[in-house]
Amino acid sequence: MNSSIFSYLSAEQSVLAYKMLVNCILATDMSKHLELCLHFEQQCFGGGGHGNQAGEFPEFEQRLLLMQMIMKAADISNISKPFPVARQWALAVTEEFCSQGDKEKGKNLQVQEMFDREKMVLGNVQVGFIDGVGLKFWRLLHEAVPSLDEFVQNIYDNRTLWAELSQAD
């Protein structure tokens, strides 16, 4: 018995599905974040004068880009959750970052402030991520998928709460 998720596809379909899956996973690479967002915006909302209505993705490349954006959204979705859940994710991610910073300090390497548990202010890091990465991304995706209202509103609410918490520190 073949347990491959692609076992019921033809060889050609299987290769295409695998490539699409790999492309979606690679879309979570933060070093390619801006490039992905710009490409999505150009392909889906105006590059070359062929902008689409929200929710319409007639071309294969546009659909692949939408799948990549959805995978990216899942990857950075913690900021779009209700605050109690977003806070727990932020604490877990921050602990991972600070553990990395501890290892870097142990090797006498320079540590970025957001990786340094002695200097990092959680609220500032979260506001910085929301302002610098998350909000722009989610607004762009929301333009394509209007049903994401609740997630985008959570990001605005969470930004406000993180800013208030960082003021209290």
Side-chain angles (χ1 to χ4, degrees):
M1 175 181 213
N2 190 346
S3 62
S4 168
I5 61 170
F6 303 133
S7 64
Y8 296 101
L9 301 176
S10 70
E12 183 179 314
Q13 290 171 327
S14 183
V15 167
L16 179 61
Y18 182 76
K19 285 181 180 179
M20 291 168 63
L21 178 62
V22 168
N23 279 317
C24 287
I25 292 168
L26 292 175
T28 64
D29 181 348
M30 288 305 292
S31 71
K32 306 282 187 192
H33 176 79
L34 185 57
E35 179 183 330
L36 175 67
C37 290
L38 289 173
H39 191 54
F40 182 75
E41 186 171 29
Q42 290 169 347
Q43 287 294 311
C44 298
F45 298 111
H50 63 279
N52 298 328
Q53 298 292 333
E56 293 182 12
F57 300 91
E59 303 296 325
F60 173 79
E61 185 175 355
Q62 292 171 330
R63 290 191 302 272
L64 178 59
L65 279 167
L66 179 61
M67 289 188 300
Q68 291 172 314
M69 292 289 284
I70 290 169
M71 180 69 88
K72 177 78 146 184
D75 188 48
I76 64 169
S77 66
N78 58 311
I79 62 171
S80 70
K81 310 243 188 249
F83 188 76
V85 177
R87 182 179 175 281
Q88 290 300 316
W89 274 106
L91 290 169
V93 169
T94 301
E95 180 54 37
E96 183 180 332
F97 287 170
C98 288
S99 292
Q100 177 65 33
D102 295 343
K103 290 175 185 174
E104 291 172 2
K105 276 185 181 179
K107 294 179 180 183
N108 294 321
L109 298 173
Q110 187 173 355
V111 178
Q112 294 180 39
E113 187 172 320
M114 67 182 264
F115 286 52
D116 188 338
R117 66 178 77 246
E118 295 169 12
K119 296 179 183 175
M120 185 270 308
V121 176
L122 182 59
N124 291 344
V125 171
Q126 292 303 303
V127 168
F129 182 78
I130 290 170
D131 289 350
V133 175
L135 194 53
K136 294 171 189 172
F137 171 85
W138 278 91
R139 282 195 297 224
L140 178 60
L141 185 57
H142 182 239
E143 187 176 342
V145 186
S147 61
L148 297 175
D149 290 337
E150 179 181 346
F151 298 97
V152 173
Q153 186 58 54
N154 282 343
I155 295 168
Y156 282 110
D157 294 346
N158 290 342
R159 192 213 179 279
T160 299
L161 290 168
W162 284 119
E164 290 172 2
L165 287 172
S166 66
Q167 293 296 321
D169 284 347

